[in-house]
Amino acid sequence: MKANLDLEHQREKPSYAHLLLTTSCNLRCPQCFVDAGTAMKKEMDTLELMNAADQLIEMGIRTVHVEGGEALMAPGALDVLSRLAQNVPDVLLVTNGTLVTKEYAQKLKDAGMKQVALSLDGAKAETHDVFRPGNFDKVVRAIGFLRDAGLGVRISTTLMKPNFKEAVELLDKCLEWGVRILNYDAFDVIGRGGRNPELALEPEDWKWLAANLFPRAMEVAKQMQVKVAIPSKYVSLLGIEKTDPQYEWIYCSSGLSQILITPDGSVMPCFVLVTTPEFKAGNIREEPLEEIWHDSPYMKHYRSLPLSKRCPMGYHGHLFFSNVRVDPETVH
């Protein structure tokens, strides 16, 4: 049986990759799971990053999220994005927005990019700037630059103690700004977030969100997609029925359909593992990505672990609320 399982994994290829260009960042967000700030030791140069992109393309990757740190601080970021955008169906740039000018937005459009995700952690400056000092207005301007250049804009917000009661107000502002997708992420106690556990929401906070954010999201379903990641431990608390088509359980796909390449070329099974080097499966500077995926002893070991053991946070999946209806037959 074990041999058959290994053969099954041999046939699989990742469909979803995170490519971290750098861990350099001009911000120091307390919730950052990457613990970004300074560059990782021996980060890849532009040529090596282009090679990483080419290897993802050769493996037939369908979705690539290009991230950091602040991805736009990496050498050759635009070249890497252009290469991916020309060869991968779904490429998303994830940025804090502070370096997005009108001119850069147009360069992204000219490179073939279709969508950009910006981080925004509050509906107003005094809240957002608790986490990212002095940059609320920069992000709002970046939304306009990107939208005017013809790019799709999505907003990613980490729900935390200081900002969760602005979730509805933020939704309404995103409608005004022409944002097409709004993702509310759960706070993860890993990376820099592990040093700030007081930011995590409590049961009553999730009840507030269910009573206030979810109904408002349903009202705007024809105008904007809204998704909320709900930690599994709160599912029973909220009285969620698995047959409700507004909820979908997404099981952990780390090492099965997703993969991470870090700025120094290391390969890991999941994007949240960047600060946990013990999960390293190989390095594309030393061997091809496809060989690491298929033949790495560590990757095979990782895949053999129960879901609860694959994650330093003990996750084995997330429940997602979405205001865009899903097929009940796909809900596990």
Side-chain angles (χ1 to χ4, degrees):
M1 189 68 180
K2 178 69 164 56
N4 290 336
L5 183 63
D6 285 342
L7 288 173
E8 179 184 341
H9 288 311
Q10 285 278 5
R11 290 194 297 270
E12 292 175 349
K13 289 187 177 182
S15 59
Y16 178 28
H18 292 261
L19 176 59
L20 272 60
L21 302 187
T22 182
T23 55
S24 292
C25 190
N26 54 347
L27 302 177
R28 300 293 185 273
C29 306
Q31 73 273 29
C32 180
F33 70 84
V34 179
D35 202 3
T38 58
M40 184 178 285
K41 290 182 179 179
K42 299 181 180 180
E43 289 193 348
M44 292 184 284
D45 59 24
T46 300
L47 186 61
E48 290 174 306
L49 289 171
M50 294 291 280
N51 176 58
D54 286 340
Q55 291 197 52
L56 290 171
I57 293 165
E58 289 166 6
M59 287 190 73
I61 296 287
R62 304 293 298 172
T63 298
V64 179
H65 286 195
V66 179
E67 307 177 52
E70 173 45 52
L72 299 186
M73 293 179 67
L78 196 62
D79 293 329
V80 175
L81 288 165
S82 179
R83 181 68 62 84
L84 289 168
Q86 301 301 324
N87 294 281
V88 175
D90 180 22
V91 181
L92 178 69
L93 166 65
V94 181
T95 171
N96 62 34
T98 60
L99 304 179
V100 176
T101 62
K102 181 178 181 180
E103 293 73 23
Y104 203 92
Q106 187 58 51
K107 288 180 180 179
L108 289 170
K109 178 66 173 179
D110 294 342
M113 291 294 295
K114 294 181 176 64
Q115 57 181 333
V116 176
L118 301 175
S119 300
L120 193 62
D121 289 319
K124 44 186 180 285
E126 52 264 41
T127 304
H128 172 82
D129 290 355
V130 168
F131 308 101
R132 308 169 192 264
N135 97 30
F136 180 84
D137 291 337
K138 292 179 182 178
V139 179
V140 175
R141 286 196 295 270
I143 293 171
F145 294 147
L146 294 164
R147 187 191 58 202
D148 291 347
L151 290 158
V153 179
R154 70 170 67 180
I155 293 296
S156 295
T157 297
T158 302
L159 292 167
M160 297 172 282
K161 272 289 187 182
N163 71 1
F164 78 95
K165 285 198 173 178
E166 289 186 12
V168 176
E169 185 180 354
L170 177 61
L171 184 158
D172 290 333
K173 287 196 172 184
C174 284
L175 282 174
E176 296 174 13
W177 294 330
V179 171
R180 68 179 190 180
I181 300 174
L182 174 56
N183 288 337
Y184 291 98
D185 299 318
F187 175 81
D188 290 326
V189 186
I190 195 170
R192 197 174 294 131
R195 301 196 291 275
N196 297 284
E198 72 282 357
L199 295 176
L201 299 187
E202 297 176 298
E204 291 303 312
D205 305 332
W206 281 102
K207 288 182 180 178
W208 187 94
L209 289 165
N212 294 275
L213 175 60
F214 295 4
R216 179 60 181 141
M218 293 304 301
E219 293 173 356
V220 304
K222 292 184 178 180
Q223 300 162 270
M224 181 174 65
Q225 182 182 26
V226 179
K227 293 187 75 173
V228 184
I230 307 169
S232 56
K233 63 183 177 181
Y234 295 116
V235 173
S236 60
L237 170 77
L238 299 178
I240 295 169
E241 297 290 339
K242 288 188 176 182
T243 55
D244 188 326
Q246 302 309 143
Y247 297 92
E248 184 177 11
W249 183 263
I250 305 296
Y251 286 99
C252 174
S253 61
S254 59
L256 299 177
S257 63
Q258 71 163 298
I259 201 165
L260 163 73
I261 300 177
T262 70
D264 69 350
S266 296
V267 176
M268 296 181 176
C270 174
F271 73 100
V272 301
L273 301 178
V274 63
T275 60
T276 52
E278 62 269 26
F279 286 87
K280 176 181 173 181
N283 192 293
I284 60 172
R285 283 169 156 164
E286 300 166 1
E287 54 188 321
L289 177 62
E290 190 158 11
E291 289 185 13
I292 295 172
W293 178 261
H294 288 309
D295 302 326
S296 163
Y298 179 78
M299 194 69 85
K300 292 180 179 180
H301 164 71
Y302 182 85
R303 290 171 180 144
S304 72
L305 296 173
L307 287 173
S308 60
K309 299 294 185 181
R310 293 181 189 174
C311 179
M313 295 175 292
Y315 287 172
H316 57 278
H318 264 89
L319 186 75
F320 284 88
F321 163 86
S322 177
N323 65 340
V324 177
R325 298 180 68 85
V326 298
D327 183 352
E329 295 300 319
T330 68
V331 179
H332 301 287

